[in-house]
Amino acid sequence: MTGCDGPQSTLAPAGSGAEQTLQLFIWMAAGAALVWVLVIGLAIVAFRAQAGDVRVARMLIVGGGVALPTIVLFVLLGFGLRLLPELTAPGDGLRIAVSGEQWWWRVRYEPPDGPAVASANEIRLPAGVRTEFTLTSTDVIHSLWIPSLGGKMDMIPGRTTRLALEPTRTGVFRGVCAEFCGASHTFMAFDVVVMEQDEFTAWLERQAEPARPPAGALAAQGRALFRDNGCGACHRIAGTAAAGVIGPDLTHVGARASLGAGTLPAEIEAFAQWIGHTDAVKPEVRMPAYDMLTPEQLTAIGHYLKGLQ
Ligand code: CUA
Protein backbone atom coordinates (compact mmCIF):
# COMPACT_ATOMS: atom_id res chain seq x y z
CA MET A 1 0.00 0.00 0.00
CA THR A 2 2.96 2.35 0.58
CA GLY A 3 3.57 2.33 -3.17
CA CYS A 4 0.18 3.84 -4.00
CA ASP A 5 1.27 7.46 -3.60
CA GLY A 6 4.33 9.60 -3.03
CA PRO A 7 7.19 10.90 -5.19
CA GLN A 8 8.07 7.48 -6.63
CA SER A 9 4.87 5.73 -7.59
CA THR A 10 3.55 4.36 -10.86
CA LEU A 11 0.05 4.58 -9.34
CA ALA A 12 0.22 8.39 -8.91
CA PRO A 13 1.29 9.40 -12.44
CA ALA A 14 2.66 12.86 -13.26
CA GLY A 15 3.63 12.17 -16.86
CA SER A 16 1.91 11.04 -20.05
CA GLY A 17 3.90 7.79 -20.23
CA ALA A 18 3.11 6.92 -16.61
CA GLU A 19 -0.59 7.63 -17.19
CA GLN A 20 -0.68 5.18 -20.09
CA THR A 21 1.24 2.57 -18.15
CA LEU A 22 -1.26 2.93 -15.30
CA GLN A 23 -4.15 2.46 -17.76
CA LEU A 24 -2.53 -0.70 -19.08
CA PHE A 25 -2.00 -1.95 -15.53
CA ILE A 26 -5.64 -1.35 -14.60
CA TRP A 27 -6.89 -3.21 -17.70
CA MET A 28 -4.51 -6.10 -17.10
CA ALA A 29 -5.41 -6.32 -13.41
CA ALA A 30 -9.12 -6.25 -14.30
CA GLY A 31 -8.58 -8.91 -16.98
CA ALA A 32 -6.65 -11.09 -14.55
CA ALA A 33 -9.37 -10.69 -11.90
CA LEU A 34 -12.02 -11.70 -14.45
CA VAL A 35 -10.06 -14.79 -15.49
CA TRP A 36 -9.51 -15.69 -11.82
CA VAL A 37 -13.24 -15.45 -11.06
CA LEU A 38 -14.04 -17.64 -14.09
CA VAL A 39 -11.48 -20.27 -13.11
CA ILE A 40 -12.75 -20.41 -9.52
CA GLY A 41 -16.32 -20.64 -10.85
CA LEU A 42 -15.36 -23.52 -13.12
CA ALA A 43 -13.60 -25.28 -10.25
CA ILE A 44 -16.81 -25.11 -8.22
CA VAL A 45 -18.81 -26.40 -11.21
CA ALA A 46 -16.31 -29.25 -11.61
CA PHE A 47 -16.65 -30.26 -7.97
CA ARG A 48 -20.42 -30.51 -8.30
CA ALA A 49 -20.56 -32.12 -11.76
CA GLN A 50 -21.50 -35.72 -12.27
CA ALA A 51 -18.83 -37.92 -13.78
CA GLY A 52 -19.31 -39.05 -17.37
CA ASP A 53 -20.69 -35.96 -19.12
CA VAL A 54 -17.98 -35.84 -21.79
CA ARG A 55 -19.79 -33.33 -24.03
CA VAL A 56 -19.88 -30.62 -21.33
CA ALA A 57 -16.31 -31.38 -20.29
CA ARG A 58 -15.06 -30.99 -23.86
CA MET A 59 -16.95 -27.72 -24.25
CA LEU A 60 -15.42 -26.36 -21.05
CA ILE A 61 -11.90 -27.36 -22.10
CA VAL A 62 -12.19 -25.85 -25.58
CA GLY A 63 -14.05 -22.77 -24.34
CA GLY A 64 -12.14 -22.08 -21.14
CA GLY A 65 -8.77 -23.54 -22.12
CA VAL A 66 -8.43 -22.34 -25.71
CA ALA A 67 -11.01 -19.73 -26.69
CA LEU A 68 -11.05 -17.63 -23.51
CA PRO A 69 -7.26 -17.18 -23.07
CA THR A 70 -6.86 -16.50 -26.79
CA ILE A 71 -9.47 -13.75 -26.72
CA VAL A 72 -8.22 -12.21 -23.44
CA LEU A 73 -4.57 -12.22 -24.57
CA PHE A 74 -5.44 -10.75 -27.99
CA VAL A 75 -7.43 -7.93 -26.42
CA LEU A 76 -4.57 -7.14 -24.00
CA LEU A 77 -2.00 -7.38 -26.80
CA GLY A 78 -4.03 -4.99 -28.93
CA PHE A 79 -4.34 -2.60 -26.01
CA GLY A 80 -0.59 -2.69 -25.35
CA LEU A 81 0.35 -2.27 -29.03
CA ARG A 82 -1.98 0.72 -29.31
CA LEU A 83 0.04 2.48 -26.56
CA LEU A 84 3.43 1.82 -28.18
CA PRO A 85 3.60 4.63 -30.79
CA GLU A 86 2.96 7.33 -28.21
CA LEU A 87 5.22 5.78 -25.55
CA THR A 88 8.14 5.57 -27.96
CA ALA A 89 7.61 8.90 -29.79
CA PRO A 90 10.72 11.12 -29.78
CA GLY A 91 11.00 14.39 -27.86
CA ASP A 92 10.39 17.82 -29.34
CA GLY A 93 12.76 20.41 -27.93
CA LEU A 94 15.00 20.09 -24.93
CA ARG A 95 17.48 17.23 -24.89
CA ILE A 96 19.19 15.95 -21.78
CA ALA A 97 22.19 13.63 -21.94
CA VAL A 98 22.45 11.41 -18.88
CA SER A 99 25.31 9.06 -18.20
CA GLY A 100 25.12 6.39 -15.53
CA GLU A 101 28.30 5.96 -13.51
CA GLN A 102 29.02 3.88 -10.38
CA TRP A 103 27.07 5.33 -8.52
CA TRP A 104 25.85 8.70 -9.72
CA TRP A 105 24.29 10.47 -12.69
CA ARG A 106 26.16 12.80 -15.04
CA VAL A 107 23.62 15.22 -16.48
CA ARG A 108 24.02 17.59 -19.42
CA TYR A 109 21.21 19.88 -20.61
CA GLU A 110 21.30 20.52 -24.35
CA PRO A 111 18.68 23.18 -25.11
CA PRO A 112 18.01 23.85 -28.83
CA ASP A 113 18.74 27.58 -28.44
CA GLY A 114 21.44 27.99 -25.84
CA PRO A 115 24.66 26.65 -24.37
CA ALA A 116 24.88 23.15 -22.90
CA VAL A 117 24.81 23.07 -19.11
CA ALA A 118 26.56 20.45 -16.97
CA SER A 119 24.99 19.15 -13.77
CA ALA A 120 24.65 15.94 -11.78
CA ASN A 121 22.33 13.87 -9.62
CA GLU A 122 19.28 16.06 -10.19
CA ILE A 123 17.11 16.53 -13.25
CA ARG A 124 14.85 19.50 -13.80
CA LEU A 125 12.17 19.38 -16.47
CA PRO A 126 9.65 21.82 -17.93
CA ALA A 127 6.03 20.67 -17.53
CA GLY A 128 4.12 19.95 -20.74
CA VAL A 129 7.27 19.50 -22.83
CA ARG A 130 8.33 16.17 -24.26
CA THR A 131 11.98 16.05 -23.25
CA GLU A 132 14.28 13.54 -24.89
CA PHE A 133 16.94 11.78 -22.84
CA THR A 134 20.01 10.32 -24.53
CA LEU A 135 21.33 7.66 -22.19
CA THR A 136 24.81 6.19 -21.95
CA SER A 137 26.96 4.42 -19.39
CA THR A 138 30.70 4.45 -18.74
CA ASP A 139 31.05 1.26 -16.70
CA VAL A 140 28.23 -1.27 -16.25
CA ILE A 141 24.56 -1.41 -17.22
CA HIS A 142 22.39 1.06 -15.31
CA SER A 143 18.75 1.92 -15.91
CA LEU A 144 17.06 5.29 -15.62
CA TRP A 145 13.61 5.16 -14.08
CA ILE A 146 11.34 7.96 -12.89
CA PRO A 147 8.23 5.92 -11.97
CA SER A 148 5.96 8.97 -11.63
CA LEU A 149 6.79 10.15 -15.16
CA GLY A 150 7.10 7.06 -17.33
CA GLY A 151 8.84 3.83 -18.17
CA LYS A 152 12.45 2.90 -17.58
CA MET A 153 15.30 2.63 -20.07
CA ASP A 154 18.61 0.76 -19.78
CA MET A 155 21.92 2.63 -20.02
CA ILE A 156 24.35 0.30 -21.79
CA PRO A 157 28.13 0.83 -22.16
CA GLY A 158 29.06 1.49 -25.80
CA ARG A 159 25.51 2.32 -26.85
CA THR A 160 23.17 5.29 -26.74
CA THR A 161 19.57 4.59 -25.81
CA ARG A 162 16.74 7.09 -25.91
CA LEU A 163 13.73 7.86 -23.76
CA ALA A 164 11.24 10.70 -24.06
CA LEU A 165 9.25 11.83 -21.02
CA GLU A 166 6.46 14.39 -20.84
CA PRO A 167 5.59 15.58 -17.31
CA THR A 168 1.98 16.68 -16.98
CA ARG A 169 2.22 18.53 -13.64
CA THR A 170 4.81 20.30 -11.54
CA GLY A 171 6.29 18.76 -8.42
CA VAL A 172 9.29 16.97 -7.00
CA PHE A 173 9.65 13.29 -7.85
CA ARG A 174 12.24 10.61 -7.33
CA GLY A 175 14.24 8.77 -9.94
CA VAL A 176 16.21 5.59 -9.35
CA CYS A 177 18.62 3.21 -11.01
CA ALA A 178 16.54 0.17 -11.94
CA GLU A 179 19.34 -2.25 -12.84
CA PHE A 180 21.62 -3.84 -10.26
CA CYS A 181 24.99 -2.16 -10.86
CA GLY A 182 27.16 -3.01 -7.86
CA ALA A 183 27.51 -2.49 -4.12
CA SER A 184 25.86 0.93 -3.99
CA HIS A 185 23.15 0.37 -6.59
CA THR A 186 20.57 1.28 -3.96
CA PHE A 187 22.35 4.63 -3.34
CA MET A 188 22.00 5.68 -6.97
CA ALA A 189 18.93 7.88 -6.97
CA PHE A 190 18.16 11.44 -8.02
CA ASP A 191 15.62 14.18 -7.54
CA VAL A 192 13.37 15.19 -10.42
CA VAL A 193 11.96 18.71 -10.25
CA VAL A 194 9.22 19.55 -12.74
CA MET A 195 8.75 23.30 -13.18
CA GLU A 196 6.62 25.62 -15.32
CA GLN A 197 8.28 26.34 -18.68
CA ASP A 198 9.27 29.98 -17.99
CA GLU A 199 10.49 29.11 -14.50
CA PHE A 200 12.60 26.33 -16.03
CA THR A 201 14.09 28.63 -18.68
CA ALA A 202 15.13 31.14 -16.00
CA TRP A 203 16.59 28.33 -13.87
CA LEU A 204 18.62 26.93 -16.79
CA GLU A 205 20.03 30.39 -17.54
CA ARG A 206 21.21 30.67 -13.93
CA GLN A 207 22.74 27.19 -14.14
CA ALA A 208 24.83 28.28 -17.12
CA GLU A 209 26.44 31.03 -15.01
CA PRO A 210 29.74 30.42 -13.18
CA ALA A 211 29.77 29.76 -9.44
CA ARG A 212 29.38 32.71 -7.15
CA PRO A 213 32.33 33.59 -4.86
CA PRO A 214 32.12 32.43 -1.23
CA ALA A 215 30.23 34.66 1.19
CA GLY A 216 31.93 34.91 4.58
CA ALA A 217 35.25 33.86 6.07
CA LEU A 218 34.25 30.24 6.76
CA ALA A 219 33.16 29.64 3.17
CA ALA A 220 36.34 31.31 1.90
CA GLN A 221 38.37 28.96 4.11
CA GLY A 222 36.36 26.09 2.64
CA ARG A 223 37.24 27.20 -0.87
CA ALA A 224 40.96 27.27 0.03
CA LEU A 225 40.70 23.77 1.53
CA PHE A 226 38.83 22.53 -1.54
CA ARG A 227 41.65 23.87 -3.75
CA ASP A 228 44.58 22.76 -1.56
CA ASN A 229 43.29 19.19 -1.14
CA GLY A 230 43.09 18.68 -4.88
CA CYS A 231 39.29 18.33 -5.07
CA GLY A 232 39.42 20.15 -8.42
CA ALA A 233 41.21 17.19 -9.99
CA CYS A 234 37.90 15.31 -10.04
CA HIS A 235 35.26 18.04 -9.70
CA ARG A 236 34.50 21.09 -11.79
CA ILE A 237 33.31 24.37 -10.36
CA ALA A 238 32.80 26.78 -13.27
CA GLY A 239 34.51 30.12 -12.70
CA THR A 240 37.30 28.59 -10.59
CA ALA A 241 40.45 26.58 -11.35
CA ALA A 242 38.58 23.35 -10.48
CA ALA A 243 38.00 21.68 -13.84
CA GLY A 244 37.93 17.92 -13.11
CA VAL A 245 35.50 15.77 -15.03
CA ILE A 246 35.83 12.46 -13.18
CA GLY A 247 33.20 13.26 -10.52
CA PRO A 248 30.00 15.30 -10.44
CA ASP A 249 29.99 18.96 -11.53
CA LEU A 250 29.67 21.06 -8.36
CA THR A 251 29.11 24.54 -9.87
CA HIS A 252 25.63 24.78 -8.30
CA VAL A 253 25.74 21.79 -5.94
CA GLY A 254 24.38 23.82 -3.00
CA ALA A 255 21.10 24.37 -4.82
CA ARG A 256 20.44 20.67 -5.28
CA ALA A 257 18.14 18.88 -2.86
CA SER A 258 20.47 15.97 -2.11
CA LEU A 259 24.08 14.87 -2.44
CA GLY A 260 25.77 11.55 -3.03
CA ALA A 261 23.10 10.78 -5.67
CA GLY A 262 20.01 11.00 -3.49
CA THR A 263 21.82 9.59 -0.45
CA LEU A 264 22.02 12.59 1.94
CA PRO A 265 20.21 15.93 2.15
CA ALA A 266 22.32 18.79 0.73
CA GLU A 267 22.98 20.40 4.11
CA ILE A 268 26.27 21.68 5.51
CA GLU A 269 26.64 18.86 8.09
CA ALA A 270 25.82 16.28 5.42
CA PHE A 271 28.55 17.67 3.12
CA ALA A 272 31.03 17.33 6.01
CA GLN A 273 29.84 13.78 6.76
CA TRP A 274 30.03 12.80 3.10
CA ILE A 275 33.51 14.18 2.39
CA GLY A 276 34.98 12.77 5.61
CA HIS A 277 33.38 9.30 5.37
CA THR A 278 32.36 8.61 1.78
CA ASP A 279 32.77 4.83 2.06
CA ALA A 280 30.69 4.65 5.25
CA VAL A 281 27.83 6.47 3.52
CA LYS A 282 28.16 4.66 0.19
CA PRO A 283 29.98 1.27 0.12
CA GLU A 284 32.76 0.91 -2.48
CA VAL A 285 32.32 4.47 -3.71
CA ARG A 286 35.17 5.71 -5.95
CA MET A 287 35.62 9.00 -4.11
CA PRO A 288 38.17 8.54 -1.29
CA ALA A 289 37.23 9.58 2.25
CA TYR A 290 39.03 12.76 3.34
CA ASP A 291 39.24 11.60 6.96
CA MET A 292 42.58 13.39 7.49
CA LEU A 293 40.66 16.67 7.58
CA THR A 294 39.42 17.92 10.95
CA PRO A 295 35.67 18.29 11.57
CA GLU A 296 36.15 22.08 11.49
CA GLN A 297 37.82 21.87 8.09
CA LEU A 298 35.09 19.59 6.74
CA THR A 299 32.44 22.01 7.99
CA ALA A 300 34.24 24.89 6.25
CA ILE A 301 34.16 22.97 2.96
CA GLY A 302 30.49 22.25 3.64
CA HIS A 303 29.85 25.99 4.01
CA TYR A 304 31.61 26.68 0.71
CA LEU A 305 29.73 23.97 -1.21
CA LYS A 306 26.33 24.79 0.28
CA GLY A 307 26.95 28.39 -0.81
CA LEU A 308 27.27 27.30 -4.46
CA GLN A 309 23.65 28.09 -5.26
CU1 CUA B 1 23.19 2.09 -11.38
CU2 CUA B 1 21.91 0.38 -10.37
Side-chain angles (χ1 to χ4, degrees):
M1 294 303 286
T2 56
C4 292
D5 204 356
Q8 186 193 331
S9 173
T10 52
L11 300 180
S16 60
E19 275 162 17
Q20 289 178 318
T21 311
L22 177 62
Q23 252 188 48
L24 181 63
F25 166 72
I26 290 170
W27 277 90
M28 290 192 81
L34 184 70
V35 169
W36 182 81
V37 168
L38 280 170
V39 169
I40 296 300
L42 284 174
I44 292 168
V45 169
F47 264 118
R48 292 186 171 171
Q50 301 291 323
D53 196 342
V54 178
R55 223 167 51 91
V56 174
R58 207 168 272 155
M59 209 180 69
L60 280 175
I61 290 168
V62 173
V66 180
L68 181 72
T70 307
I71 292 166
V72 168
L73 290 178
F74 260 100
V75 169
L76 286 174
L77 178 69
F79 193 83
L81 287 178
R82 199 179 57 87
L83 296 180
L84 266 187
E86 209 177 311
L87 282 175
T88 56
D92 55 6
L94 177 66
R95 272 223 326 233
I96 303 179
V98 184
S99 168
E101 321 213 349
Q102 283 173 320
W103 288 274
W104 62 284
W105 310 84
R106 187 188 296 275
V107 180
R108 190 180 145 92
Y109 296 84
E110 297 170 348
D113 49 0
V117 176
S119 184
N121 296 332
E122 183 180 277
I123 293 175
R124 298 210 176 208
L125 297 169
V129 176
R130 199 168 173 83
T131 298
E132 179 148 316
F133 291 86
T134 53
L135 306 172
T136 52
S137 167
T138 54
D139 36 46
V140 299
I141 300 177
H142 303 273
S143 180
L144 180 122
W145 192 24
I146 310 166
S148 304
L149 299 190
K152 66 185 84 157
M153 184 57 74
D154 275 4
M155 313 167 94
I156 304 163
R159 281 171 69 170
T160 301
T161 48
R162 285 165 197 284
L163 174 71
L165 293 175
E166 185 178 340
T168 49
R169 61 179 164 95
T170 58
V172 180
F173 308 99
R174 190 167 184 270
V176 292
C177 178
E179 181 81 36
F180 180 72
C181 54
S184 279
H185 156 72
T186 191
F187 298 115
M188 189 171 170
F190 56 101
D191 301 289
V192 182
V193 184
V194 179
M195 315 163 87
E196 297 295 353
Q197 171 74 67
D198 46 350
E199 221 185 314
F200 174 81
T201 309
W203 172 83
L204 194 60
E205 274 168 19
R206 285 200 306 280
Q207 288 291 298
E209 290 169 7
R212 57 167 75 169
L218 201 52
Q221 189 200 341
R223 181 172 66 175
L225 284 162
F226 186 92
R227 184 191 57 217
D228 298 344
N229 283 284
C231 305
C234 289
H235 295 286
R236 171 176 173 267
I237 298 180
T240 75
V245 293
I246 294 168
D249 188 295
L250 301 180
T251 306
H252 299 286
V253 68
R256 303 206 274 260
S258 67
L259 65 103
T263 306
L264 295 172
E267 300 301 339
I268 290 167
E269 314 80 66
F271 275 110
Q273 184 193 352
W274 169 250
I275 298 163
H277 314 279
T278 45
D279 47 353
V281 177
K282 200 174 216 180
E284 291 186 21
V285 70
R286 300 274 163 87
M287 176 173 159
Y290 282 72
D291 48 8
M292 66 294 219
L293 298 176
T294 66
E296 291 73 26
Q297 288 175 320
L298 290 169
T299 304
I301 298 177
H303 270 275
Y304 171 51
L305 295 177
K306 184 61 194 171
L308 298 176
Q309 293 289 318

